[in-house]
């Protein structure tokens, strides 16, 4: 009887992974970068705020707007050449404004959705080609209970969740060893939430893609759904 080859081992660590973290200059971004760096990942920290670069623990930092397609393409091409591939994209670019005004919509749309769309379109094939590609965003619990007073914000967060779900379904259909995950929080400034986010991002490489892909996980309680 012919000997069957063993199935590929599940990924066990973020160590050595090339991970792009968008929104790295914020409180959550800095914490996630520090946790990934401590875990041995090659963290590529991206922020649109040059003044925040020195505060980030990462292998390399870049001050670019993830909504700028040419800048993202240039960074991705450089990483492919130098690193041989890209294993993760953690989207933490965000912001908050209430209401339904056009100006506030435009301000939020660029941060919440355009940066995700532009960067994930550029990096999706790279993540799918990795043996453990991971994409993650942070969404809001208010999407499940929308109110008019924050209608711009929750509409864009819902759109971001849909975008990630489409990526997850594409990887599922094509049987890629990649996973797209949405972390849901009530508020990032709630006690312990940023730490939970950082730990959860590092743990993305500790489980196989089939257990993670398409998951929507609450970080501010013990529940997960998706």
């Amino acid at each position: 009887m012919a000997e069957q080859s063993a199935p590929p081992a599940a990924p066990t660590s973020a160590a050595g992974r090339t991970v792009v973290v968008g929104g790295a200059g914020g409180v959550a971004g800095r914490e996630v970068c520090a946790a990934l760096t401590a875990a041995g990942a090659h963290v590529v920290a991206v922020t649109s705020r040059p003044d925040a670069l020195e505060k980030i623990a990462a292998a390399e930092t870049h001050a670019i707007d993830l909504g700028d397609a040419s800048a993202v393409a240039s960074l991705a091409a450089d990483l492919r050449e130098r690193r041989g591939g890209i294993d993760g994209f953690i989207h933490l670019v965000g912001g908050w404004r209430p209401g339904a005004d056009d100006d506030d919509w435009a301000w939020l749309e660029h941060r919440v959705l355009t940066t995700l769309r532009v960067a994930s379109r550029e990096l999706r094939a790279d993540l799918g080609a990795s043996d453990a590609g991971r994409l993650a965003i942070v969404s809001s619990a208010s999407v499940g209970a929308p109110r008019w007073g924050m209608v711009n914000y929750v509409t864009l967060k819902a759109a971001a969740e849909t975008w990630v779900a489409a990526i997850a379904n594409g990887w599922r259909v094509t049987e890629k060893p990649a996973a797209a995950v949405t972390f849901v929080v009530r508020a990032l400034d709630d006690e312990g939430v940023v730490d939970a986010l950082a730990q959860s991002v590092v743990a993305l490489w500790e489980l196989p893609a089939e257990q993670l892909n398409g998951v929507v996980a609450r970080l501010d309680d013990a529940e997960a759904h998706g």
Side-chain angles (χ1 to χ4, degrees):
M1 182 176 180
E3 202 176 291
Q4 293 185 341
S5 59
T12 58
S13 173
R17 301 290 180 185
T18 299
V19 183
V20 178
V21 179
V27 173
R30 294 196 304 270
E31 192 77 16
V32 167
C33 286
L36 284 167
T37 297
H42 182 96
V43 176
V44 181
V46 178
T47 176
S48 60
R49 297 164 44 206
D51 60 304
L53 294 177
E54 293 182 1
K55 303 176 183 178
I56 304 170
E60 53 187 281
T61 56
H62 301 269
I64 67 171
D65 177 3
L66 287 178
D68 181 337
S70 62
V72 173
S74 178
L75 174 62
D78 179 55
L79 288 174
R80 291 178 195 119
E81 182 177 352
R82 289 189 293 110
R83 299 291 300 169
I86 301 166
D87 303 296
F89 174 48
I90 312 301
H91 182 272
L92 302 174
V93 186
W96 158 254
R97 286 190 182 181
D101 289 349
D102 289 345
D103 288 346
D104 294 328
W105 172 271
W107 187 89
L108 284 166
E109 193 275 337
H110 184 83
R111 289 158 176 78
V112 173
L113 190 59
T114 294
T115 55
L116 172 63
R117 289 178 57 250
V118 170
S120 63
R121 281 188 310 196
E122 179 65 40
L123 300 177
R124 188 174 67 92
D126 298 284
L127 301 178
S130 168
D131 64 352
R134 300 289 184 264
L135 181 150
I137 67 167
V138 174
S139 190
S140 171
S142 59
V143 170
R147 303 198 308 269
W148 182 251
M150 57 175 69
V151 66
N152 281 343
Y153 178 76
V154 295
T155 299
L156 288 164
K157 283 293 189 181
E161 288 192 24
T162 300
W163 185 270
V164 171
I167 293 174
N169 284 332
W171 284 339
R172 183 178 296 112
V173 168
T174 55
E175 299 183 339
K176 300 291 186 184
V181 175
T182 296
F183 295 118
V184 176
V185 303
R186 192 186 69 83
L188 278 171
D189 56 4
D190 284 349
E191 184 177 357
V193 171
V194 168
D195 183 60
L197 172 62
Q199 293 180 36
S200 297
V201 168
V202 172
L204 290 173
W205 283 271
E206 296 173 1
L207 292 171
E210 58 268 23
Q211 293 185 26
L212 290 170
N213 194 31
V215 164
V216 180
R218 285 293 295 264
L219 294 183
D220 48 5
D221 59 27
E223 298 178 2
H225 55 91

